[in-house]
Amino acid sequence: MDSAPSTASNSMAGSPNDTPRQSPSSTSLSSLDSTDGIDLQNGNGKMLDTYGNEFKLPDFTIKEIRDAIPAHCYQRSAARGLGYVARDFASLATVFYLFHNFVTPENIPSTPIRGALWALYTVIQGLLATGVWILAHECGHQSFSPSKTLNDTVGWVCHSVLLVPYFSWKISHGKHHKATGHLERDMVFVPKTREQYASKLGRYVHEISELAEETPIVTAATLIGQQLAGWLYYLTSNITGHNKHERQPEGRGKGKQNGMFGGVNHFNPSSPLYEAKDEKLILLSDLGLAITLTVLFTIGAKYGMANLTVWYILPYLWVNHWLVAITFLQHTDPSLPHYEPQAWTYTRGAAATIDREFGFIGRHILHGIIETHVLHHYVSTIPFYNADEATAAIKKVMGDHYRSDVEGGSIGFLKSLWKSARWCQWVEPSEGTTGEAQGVLFYRNRNGYGVPPQKLKAPAAQS
């Protein structure tokens, strides 16, 4: 069973076990989650997250967060960072050597067994390569070492090898950190508002609360598409990022919008995601991709596309899957708010993230990016190997505002993909709220989970 993560409620604990436990539904097409036993009606204008827990706006400051973290947690070591890079690349090389030399027809005559082992190879390499991706992410935040030159060199190499435009990503990702949870400026997994969701379905806003449940097969198909193509679609069309490009200060966003061929991507220096001063960096990112693609083409020509597919392309798709899953679940959860511009502050937005648990893989192969993401949004220059200690320190300051969902470990993390897809379809204000609270939006859904969407009256007919 799934449980609601700790939120701004009457408890100061940070464990999901301290909040109302969910139980399977006996009436829904999908019986994975429900909110039995929780009063989901909001008659007093309180802000309610999707679980029905009352939400309070964060009341601490960035200074309090920073002051709570031990000074040594801020220390970055180039030698230690390079050691992790060497370890991850050595692991990739070792796995390739073992499979290439021992998973052969001579050693394993059975084709099905050999095929299964090579399939396992793609999974292992995908996880190890995701670790490399995350180290480049550290470089982009300057938490890898005290040297900006070393950080950007290592980041450019590691990301280019994985067909990621390093500087292009670094710039847009920095904007995500500056506007986390902001509905008009955030760059990652910006949820649809009720109006946008209704428009997507060709419905009026007031009709959303009356819609039938989305069938699980539709949810599954959407998730599969997201996990297979989400990263590439983001790079090429800025999907899930904000779509307010007309505000770009240099006028680059005029007539441009998210979507294929909409003029918003991570490869074109004239994209509204960037400014004129970024042009050389975007081109350098593109050069890294061109070098890697040339090497891959050469390998494919020499050893065949079948080998290239198993050696690189399938692990690459696994990397994309893990990247999208991690980012999606860091910013999409029934407990998390999103903010209209008038209600957003940096402190509030940074708290609109959640830590999860992925066991040994998360902490040792993926460098703790899943387990310490809340801290990362407050102080992104702390290296990952100090993040656990720093997280423990900021929990005391954040109190109820620190969110985590660690139940079930690695399996719980994977189950959360389905849960978030079913529970988190759009955001809207809590019923009855006024003033600033009207600008604090929470996830709602048409699937019968958690707090129901507001019932709105149809607009009066024009005479």
Side-chain angles (χ1 to χ4, degrees):
M1 292 189 296
D2 296 289
S3 67
S6 60
T7 62
S9 60
N10 294 326
S11 169
M12 288 295 290
S15 165
N17 296 323
D18 296 320
T19 53
R21 181 176 293 273
Q22 318 306 316
S23 59
S25 167
S26 59
T27 58
S28 170
L29 290 174
S30 171
S31 61
L32 183 61
D33 307 295
S34 72
T35 48
D36 296 349
I38 303 176
D39 181 9
L40 301 179
Q41 300 305 312
N42 182 27
N44 54 10
K46 294 180 179 179
M47 292 180 287
L48 299 181
D49 69 16
T50 319
Y51 290 117
N53 296 321
E54 183 178 358
F55 176 81
K56 300 287 188 182
L57 291 169
D59 53 0
F60 51 86
T61 66
I62 297 296
K63 185 178 186 304
E64 289 174 321
I65 290 285
R66 289 183 172 274
D67 289 349
I69 299 170
H72 65 266
C73 289
Y74 292 93
Q75 299 302 310
R76 300 161 290 173
S77 168
R80 192 166 182 180
L82 289 170
Y84 279 107
V85 172
R87 185 203 74 172
D88 285 2
F89 275 106
S91 298
L92 284 164
T94 300
V95 171
F96 178 80
Y97 176 84
L98 292 174
F99 275 79
H100 184 63
N101 287 281
F102 296 103
V103 184
T104 63
E106 294 77 17
N107 294 317
I108 304 176
S110 172
T111 299
I113 294 176
R114 205 164 62 249
L117 288 172
W118 276 107
L120 177 63
Y121 164 91
T122 69
V123 176
I124 296 172
Q125 295 293 72
L127 284 168
L128 293 172
T130 303
V132 173
W133 201 108
I134 292 164
L135 291 177
H137 169 268
E138 291 272 301
C139 293
H141 283 289
Q142 307 304 309
S143 59
F144 184 80
S145 82
S147 169
K148 184 177 185 298
T149 300
L150 178 63
N151 293 339
D152 285 340
T153 301
V154 173
W156 180 79
V157 170
C158 291
H159 263 176
S160 295
V161 167
L162 297 171
L163 292 178
V164 178
Y166 171 71
F167 292 103
S168 308
W169 161 84
K170 174 185 171 181
I171 294 167
S172 68
H173 187 68
K175 294 179 180 180
H176 157 61
H177 271 259
K178 292 176 182 177
T180 305
H182 193 299
L183 284 170
E184 295 188 3
R185 288 175 44 217
D186 199 354
M187 299 294 295
V188 172
F189 283 108
V190 179
K192 290 179 175 61
T193 62
R194 179 168 177 151
E195 292 76 12
Q196 291 167 336
Y197 186 80
S199 177
K200 175 187 173 184
L201 298 180
R203 298 280 188 165
Y204 292 108
V205 173
H206 70 273
E207 295 177 324
I208 295 301
S209 59
E210 308 299 330
L211 290 179
E213 176 182 2
E214 179 179 271
T215 60
I217 193 170
V218 171
T219 307
T222 302
L223 261 182
I224 291 170
Q226 171 183 292
Q227 297 309 121
L228 281 175
W231 172 241
L232 291 174
Y233 200 19
Y234 173 72
L235 290 179
T236 55
S237 66
N238 197 47
I239 194 71
T240 83
H242 78 77
N243 203 18
K244 302 289 185 178
H245 304 297
E246 69 280 357
R247 300 178 182 176
Q248 206 276 346
E250 298 174 342
R252 291 166 166 244
K254 293 181 180 178
K256 296 180 180 179
Q257 59 184 0
N258 294 348
M260 295 301 291
F261 312 112
V264 185
N265 61 66
H266 284 74
F267 309 107
N268 190 340
S270 66
S271 170
L273 300 178
Y274 311 113
E275 299 175 11
K277 63 182 176 63
D278 303 321
E279 180 176 354
K280 292 181 180 179
L281 294 176
I282 308 308
L283 293 174
L284 183 56
S285 301
D286 293 345
L287 175 63
L289 302 185
I291 292 172
T292 299
L293 288 170
T294 299
V295 172
L296 292 174
F297 178 82
T298 303
I299 292 172
K302 184 174 182 178
Y303 298 102
M305 278 302 299
N307 281 327
L308 180 63
T309 297
V310 175
W311 293 346
Y312 183 93
I313 295 176
L314 292 179
Y316 167 78
L317 291 177
W318 276 113
V319 172
N320 293 357
H321 155 72
W322 289 119
L323 172 62
V324 172
I326 291 167
T327 310
F328 175 63
L329 291 179
Q330 286 168 339
H331 300 282
T332 310
D333 186 83
S335 68
L336 298 180
H338 284 77
Y339 297 92
E340 297 280 8
Q342 70 274 14
W344 182 90
T345 67
Y346 181 87
T347 304
R348 293 173 181 179
T353 56
I354 187 169
D355 287 343
R356 301 186 187 270
E357 177 65 48
F358 204 45
F360 176 87
I361 292 174
R363 293 188 174 274
H364 297 283
I365 297 178
L366 304 183
H367 306 297
I369 196 171
I370 294 170
E371 292 79 8
T372 59
H373 193 67
V374 176
L375 165 79
H376 177 67
H377 268 274
Y378 280 110
V379 191
S380 59
T381 54
I382 289 180
F384 71 89
Y385 41 80
N386 293 333
D388 279 321
E389 182 179 357
T391 293
I394 70 169
K395 283 182 183 180
K396 299 172 185 177
V397 176
M398 295 184 69
D400 292 348
H401 301 292
Y402 171 79
R403 289 173 181 75
S404 67
D405 188 356
V406 300
E407 186 173 357
S410 300
I411 300 301
F413 175 83
L414 295 174
K415 287 174 64 179
S416 292
L417 272 174
W418 178 259
K419 180 174 184 176
S420 290
R422 295 291 287 171
W423 284 63
C424 305
Q425 293 185 309
W426 72 86
V427 292
E428 63 179 57
S430 298
E431 187 172 4
T433 53
T434 59
E436 187 177 43
Q438 269 280 308
V440 185
L441 281 59
F442 296 91
Y443 285 107
R444 299 293 184 253
N445 62 79
R446 54 192 268 208
N447 299 325
Y449 300 134
V451 175
Q454 295 186 47
K455 293 185 180 296
L456 304 177
K457 294 182 179 179
Q462 296 291 329
S463 57

